[in-house]
Amino acid sequence: MSKRPPSLPAQAADMAMQMALRQIDFNRAPAPRPAAPVAKQAAPTPLSSPPSDEHRLALRRRDWLADVQEAQRALSPYASGLLTAENLSGEEFLHSFYAPGRPVLIKGAITGWPALERWTPDYLADRIGDAQIEYQGGRSSATDYELKKDRHRKRATFRHFIDLVRAGGNDAYLTASNSATNAPALAPLDEDLGPLDAYLRRPQGMLWIGGAGAFTPLHFDLTNNLLAQVTGTKRLILIPPSQTRRLAHRGHVFSDVRDVTDEAQLKRFPQARDVLRYEVQLTPGDLLFIPIGWWHQVRSESFSTMLTYTGFHWPNAGHENYPAG
Ligand SMILES: O=C(O)CCC(=O)C(=O)O
């Protein structure tokens, strides 16, 4: 009798096992900090009518479910760790990370991109020169610059913008939300980038350029994102969706806890202190997959350039039915 091919789940399990054996490194990301039982924190803005007992019970049951699932995942470093992979094929990425909604740090996938050698502040300033671009400015005088991003749209020549970010700090940052406006001015940089055919059907990225100290506060995205670090380093904190009740989720996709490493904010929101979290440093040539709904905050440790991609081969339309409120 001929042997039947393994069913799809069996194939996926085989694949995961093969990856565990040949490609995946458990040691680069620090162990996650376990979530502690929920403590009291700053009272939220009152709702128009208080939640009923039934509603409260439903929420407690939902939270219980999230906690028992995390406790179970924690039994295995393969299931709960933030994995690092090399030579990750599109199929392996789909089965082990994209479909399960699990982050992964991918090394070595873009080492051939000319941008990795070229994108210094001097090169960028010379290449784009005095073309007008849009960036986010005046960020030092506000804390809600991401939520109210339209108020912070500024224009300058690209050369002047690069001078601003060379100086470091969080005041000026070219972000994904400036991408559409900047596409014509920044088009000459496209020839420094390469393909990412294994994962992407549409290789148009959204560019981020900032100085040491640029900071994106804690939020989640309404798409699955692939980050490609080109210049400099960034430090990210990733927090699974299971921790949402500890994070004072209020304005759109943002947390009132802007920075889970800031002691003053942790005093106001003690539930966030022991949230389950993963820390990753992105270095040039790294890709990081951040699944939809995963909280993240990002700090540039140096002059940094990075692209975010959303045009995967697989559906990525969670944003279409988000209850925006
Ligand atoms: O790099 C940053 O400052 C933020 C990146 C980010 O949040 C994203 O690409 O989703």
Short mmCIF file of all heavy atoms in Angstrom, two decimals, residues 98 196-206 223-226 308-316:
data_model
loop_
_atom_site.label_atom_id
_atom_site.label_comp_id
_atom_site.label_asym_id
_atom_site.label_seq_id
_atom_site.Cartn_x
_atom_site.Cartn_y
_atom_site.Cartn_z
N TYR A 98 3.07 33.73 10.83
CA TYR A 98 2.02 34.64 10.33
C TYR A 98 0.63 34.14 10.75
O TYR A 98 -0.15 34.88 11.35
CB TYR A 98 2.10 34.76 8.80
CG TYR A 98 1.29 35.91 8.25
CD1 TYR A 98 1.82 37.20 8.24
CD2 TYR A 98 0.01 35.72 7.74
CE1 TYR A 98 1.07 38.27 7.72
CE2 TYR A 98 -0.73 36.78 7.23
CZ TYR A 98 -0.19 38.05 7.23
OH TYR A 98 -0.92 39.11 6.74
N LEU A 196 11.83 41.13 -1.02
CA LEU A 196 11.55 40.26 0.15
C LEU A 196 10.46 39.29 -0.31
O LEU A 196 9.41 39.16 0.32
CB LEU A 196 11.06 41.11 1.33
CG LEU A 196 12.13 41.60 2.29
CD1 LEU A 196 11.54 42.58 3.29
CD2 LEU A 196 12.78 40.42 3.00
N ASP A 197 10.76 38.64 -1.45
CA ASP A 197 9.72 37.87 -2.15
C ASP A 197 9.12 36.74 -1.32
O ASP A 197 7.97 36.36 -1.53
CB ASP A 197 10.30 37.25 -3.43
CG ASP A 197 10.70 38.33 -4.42
OD1 ASP A 197 10.20 39.46 -4.27
OD2 ASP A 197 11.51 38.03 -5.31
N ALA A 198 9.87 36.20 -0.39
CA ALA A 198 9.35 35.06 0.37
C ALA A 198 8.11 35.46 1.17
O ALA A 198 7.21 34.65 1.36
CB ALA A 198 10.43 34.53 1.32
N TYR A 199 8.05 36.72 1.62
CA TYR A 199 6.97 37.12 2.53
C TYR A 199 6.02 38.14 1.91
O TYR A 199 4.88 38.25 2.33
CB TYR A 199 7.55 37.73 3.82
CG TYR A 199 8.75 36.97 4.36
CD1 TYR A 199 9.99 37.60 4.53
CD2 TYR A 199 8.64 35.62 4.69
CE1 TYR A 199 11.08 36.89 5.01
CE2 TYR A 199 9.73 34.92 5.16
CZ TYR A 199 10.95 35.55 5.32
OH TYR A 199 12.03 34.86 5.79
N LEU A 200 6.53 38.95 0.96
CA LEU A 200 5.76 40.11 0.50
C LEU A 200 5.34 39.99 -0.95
O LEU A 200 6.13 39.60 -1.80
CB LEU A 200 6.59 41.39 0.64
CG LEU A 200 7.09 41.75 2.03
CD1 LEU A 200 7.93 43.02 1.96
CD2 LEU A 200 5.93 41.95 3.00
N ARG A 201 4.08 40.40 -1.18
CA ARG A 201 3.60 40.50 -2.57
C ARG A 201 3.77 41.94 -3.04
O ARG A 201 3.93 42.21 -4.21
CB ARG A 201 2.15 40.01 -2.58
CG ARG A 201 1.08 40.92 -3.03
CD ARG A 201 -0.31 40.33 -2.77
NE ARG A 201 -0.92 40.97 -1.61
CZ ARG A 201 -1.36 42.21 -1.60
NH1 ARG A 201 -1.25 42.97 -2.65
NH2 ARG A 201 -1.89 42.72 -0.51
N ARG A 202 3.76 42.89 -2.11
CA ARG A 202 3.88 44.32 -2.46
C ARG A 202 5.04 44.89 -1.65
O ARG A 202 4.96 45.07 -0.45
CB ARG A 202 2.57 45.03 -2.07
CG ARG A 202 2.44 46.43 -2.60
CD ARG A 202 1.00 46.96 -2.43
NE ARG A 202 0.31 46.51 -1.24
CZ ARG A 202 0.43 47.08 -0.05
NH1 ARG A 202 1.20 48.11 0.13
NH2 ARG A 202 -0.25 46.61 0.98
N PRO A 203 6.18 45.16 -2.33
CA PRO A 203 7.37 45.54 -1.57
C PRO A 203 7.49 47.04 -1.29
O PRO A 203 8.59 47.54 -1.14
CB PRO A 203 8.52 45.03 -2.45
CG PRO A 203 7.99 45.12 -3.84
CD PRO A 203 6.48 44.99 -3.77
N GLN A 204 6.36 47.76 -1.23
CA GLN A 204 6.45 49.19 -0.88
C GLN A 204 6.47 49.34 0.64
O GLN A 204 5.49 49.00 1.30
CB GLN A 204 5.27 49.99 -1.43
CG GLN A 204 5.48 50.52 -2.83
CD GLN A 204 5.19 49.44 -3.85
OE1 GLN A 204 4.19 48.74 -3.73
NE2 GLN A 204 6.08 49.27 -4.82
N GLY A 205 7.60 49.86 1.15
CA GLY A 205 7.71 50.01 2.60
C GLY A 205 7.41 51.44 3.03
O GLY A 205 7.42 52.36 2.21
N MET A 206 7.13 51.60 4.31
CA MET A 206 6.94 52.96 4.89
C MET A 206 8.18 53.26 5.71
O MET A 206 8.57 52.48 6.59
CB MET A 206 5.69 52.97 5.76
CG MET A 206 4.43 52.79 4.93
SD MET A 206 2.96 52.53 5.94
CE MET A 206 3.11 50.83 6.40
N THR A 223 -2.73 46.11 11.44
CA THR A 223 -2.24 45.22 10.37
C THR A 223 -1.10 44.39 10.94
O THR A 223 -0.50 44.76 11.96
CB THR A 223 -1.64 46.03 9.20
OG1 THR A 223 -0.72 47.00 9.75
CG2 THR A 223 -2.68 46.73 8.37
N ASN A 224 -0.80 43.28 10.29
CA ASN A 224 0.46 42.57 10.55
C ASN A 224 1.58 43.38 9.89
O ASN A 224 1.41 43.84 8.76
CB ASN A 224 0.41 41.19 9.90
CG ASN A 224 -0.62 40.29 10.53
OD1 ASN A 224 -0.43 39.82 11.64
ND2 ASN A 224 -1.73 40.06 9.84
N ASN A 225 2.69 43.55 10.60
CA ASN A 225 3.78 44.40 10.08
C ASN A 225 5.10 43.64 10.04
O ASN A 225 5.39 42.86 10.96
CB ASN A 225 4.01 45.60 11.00
CG ASN A 225 2.87 46.60 10.95
OD1 ASN A 225 1.97 46.49 10.11
ND2 ASN A 225 2.89 47.56 11.83
N LEU A 226 5.89 43.95 8.99
CA LEU A 226 7.25 43.43 8.94
C LEU A 226 8.19 44.63 8.95
O LEU A 226 8.13 45.48 8.06
CB LEU A 226 7.45 42.61 7.65
CG LEU A 226 8.77 41.87 7.56
CD1 LEU A 226 8.86 40.76 8.61
CD2 LEU A 226 8.95 41.26 6.17
N THR A 308 8.70 49.75 7.30
CA THR A 308 7.62 48.85 7.73
C THR A 308 6.85 48.42 6.49
O THR A 308 6.43 49.26 5.69
CB THR A 308 6.65 49.58 8.68
OG1 THR A 308 7.36 50.00 9.83
CG2 THR A 308 5.52 48.65 9.12
N TYR A 309 6.66 47.11 6.37
CA TYR A 309 5.92 46.53 5.23
C TYR A 309 4.63 45.87 5.72
O TYR A 309 4.63 45.22 6.78
CB TYR A 309 6.76 45.47 4.53
CG TYR A 309 8.01 46.01 3.89
CD1 TYR A 309 9.21 46.05 4.59
CD2 TYR A 309 7.99 46.49 2.58
CE1 TYR A 309 10.38 46.54 4.00
CE2 TYR A 309 9.15 46.99 1.99
CZ TYR A 309 10.33 47.01 2.70
OH TYR A 309 11.46 47.51 2.11
N THR A 310 3.57 46.01 4.93
CA THR A 310 2.31 45.35 5.29
C THR A 310 1.75 44.50 4.13
O THR A 310 0.74 43.84 4.30
CB THR A 310 1.23 46.39 5.67
OG1 THR A 310 1.06 47.28 4.57
CG2 THR A 310 1.62 47.19 6.90
N GLY A 311 2.42 44.54 2.96
CA GLY A 311 1.87 43.88 1.76
C GLY A 311 2.25 42.41 1.68
O GLY A 311 2.94 41.99 0.74
N PHE A 312 1.81 41.61 2.64
CA PHE A 312 2.16 40.19 2.68
C PHE A 312 1.43 39.41 1.58
O PHE A 312 0.46 39.90 1.00
CB PHE A 312 1.76 39.60 4.04
CG PHE A 312 2.59 40.13 5.18
CD1 PHE A 312 2.16 41.23 5.92
CD2 PHE A 312 3.79 39.53 5.52
CE1 PHE A 312 2.92 41.72 6.97
CE2 PHE A 312 4.55 40.02 6.58
CZ PHE A 312 4.12 41.12 7.31
N HIS A 313 1.88 38.18 1.36
CA HIS A 313 1.19 37.30 0.40
C HIS A 313 -0.18 36.87 0.93
O HIS A 313 -0.99 36.36 0.18
CB HIS A 313 2.01 36.03 0.15
CG HIS A 313 3.27 36.28 -0.62
ND1 HIS A 313 3.26 36.80 -1.89
CD2 HIS A 313 4.57 36.09 -0.29
CE1 HIS A 313 4.51 36.91 -2.33
NE2 HIS A 313 5.33 36.49 -1.38
N TRP A 314 -0.42 37.03 2.24
CA TRP A 314 -1.63 36.48 2.85
C TRP A 314 -2.51 37.62 3.35
O TRP A 314 -2.03 38.75 3.56
CB TRP A 314 -1.22 35.54 4.00
CG TRP A 314 -0.17 34.59 3.54
CD1 TRP A 314 -0.37 33.46 2.78
CD2 TRP A 314 1.26 34.71 3.72
NE1 TRP A 314 0.85 32.87 2.49
CE2 TRP A 314 1.87 33.61 3.05
CE3 TRP A 314 2.09 35.64 4.36
CZ2 TRP A 314 3.25 33.41 3.02
CZ3 TRP A 314 3.46 35.45 4.33
CH2 TRP A 314 4.03 34.34 3.66
N PRO A 315 -3.81 37.35 3.59
CA PRO A 315 -4.72 38.44 3.97
C PRO A 315 -4.22 39.23 5.17
O PRO A 315 -3.63 38.67 6.09
CB PRO A 315 -6.02 37.68 4.31
CG PRO A 315 -5.93 36.41 3.54
CD PRO A 315 -4.48 36.05 3.48
N ASN A 316 -4.48 40.55 5.11
CA ASN A 316 -3.97 41.45 6.17
C ASN A 316 -4.96 42.61 6.32
O ASN A 316 -4.59 43.77 6.19
CB ASN A 316 -2.58 41.97 5.77
CG ASN A 316 -1.85 42.57 6.95
OD1 ASN A 316 -2.28 42.45 8.09
ND2 ASN A 316 -0.73 43.22 6.68
#
